């Protein structure tokens, strides 16, 4: 495994937000109503934070090779992911670098997730078994 891991890109559409709302039970109107979202000062409808985190988690499990190889995973939400009402939606790009190796021989990854060139997470990291 190299120091930089191959970036992964995830497309996010309003339809994805509807499916996630149904699965999670989070029907907050900032995730589906343009009028409500802009009314509370957001740039428009935004993706659920936990949905964004799940996309990053999917990238981590791909790099790790298996879900049970992920020992730790944490993020802080720093910026919303606006999702336009288009067929294309938006993209979240997830990248990682190997920060160090733990005493147990696991790899600590520094994670980056961006949308439209802006970082949407901070202090994002994971520890995976080699």
């Amino acid at each position: 495994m190299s120091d930089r891991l191959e970036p992964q890109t995830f497309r996010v559409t309003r339809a994805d937000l509807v499916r996630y709302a149904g699965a999670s039970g989070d029907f907050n109107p900032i995730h589906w109503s343009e009028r409500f979202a802009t009314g509370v000062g957001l740039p428009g409808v935004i993706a659920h934070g936990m949905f964004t985190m799940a996309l990053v988690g999917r990238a981590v499990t791909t790099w790790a090779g298996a879900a049970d190889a992920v020992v730790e995973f944490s993020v802080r939400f720093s910026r919303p992911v606006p999702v336009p009402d288009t067929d294309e939606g938006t993209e979240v790009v997830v990248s990682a670098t190997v920060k160090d190796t733990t005493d147990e021989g696991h790899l600590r990854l520094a994670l980056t997730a961006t949308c439209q060139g802006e970082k949407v997470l901070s202090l994002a990291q994971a520890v995976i078994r080699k």
Side-chain angles (χ1 to χ4, degrees), residues 14-31:
R14 295 272 178 101
D16 294 321
L17 301 185
V18 170
R19 285 190 286 276
Y20 186 81
S24 69
D26 181 352
F27 294 99
N28 187 321
I30 64 173
H31 303 304

Side-chain angles (χ1 to χ4, degrees), residues 68-81:
D68 64 352
V70 179
V71 177
E72 292 178 24
F73 175 49
S74 62
V75 305
R76 285 203 181 159
F77 305 107
S78 57
R79 184 178 299 261
V81 173

Side-chain angles (χ1 to χ4, degrees), residues 17-102:
L17 301 185
V18 170
R19 285 190 286 276
Y20 186 81
S24 69
D26 181 352
F27 294 99
N28 187 321
I30 64 173
H31 303 304
W32 56 267
S33 170
E34 194 80 27
R35 180 176 45 84
F36 188 87
T38 57
V40 297
L42 292 168
V45 168
I46 63 170
H48 304 72
M50 294 303 290
F51 180 68
T52 303
M53 186 176 180
L55 296 176
V56 177
R58 185 182 307 169
V60 171
T61 58
T62 298
W63 290 317
D68 64 352
V70 179
V71 177
E72 292 178 24
F73 175 49
S74 62
V75 305
R76 285 203 181 159
F77 305 107
S78 57
R79 184 178 299 261
V81 173
V83 181
D85 190 11
T86 63
D87 291 340
E88 296 79 25
T90 194
E91 289 182 339
V92 174
V93 179
V94 183
S95 58
T97 56
V98 177
K99 193 171 171 182
D100 61 31
T101 303
T102 68

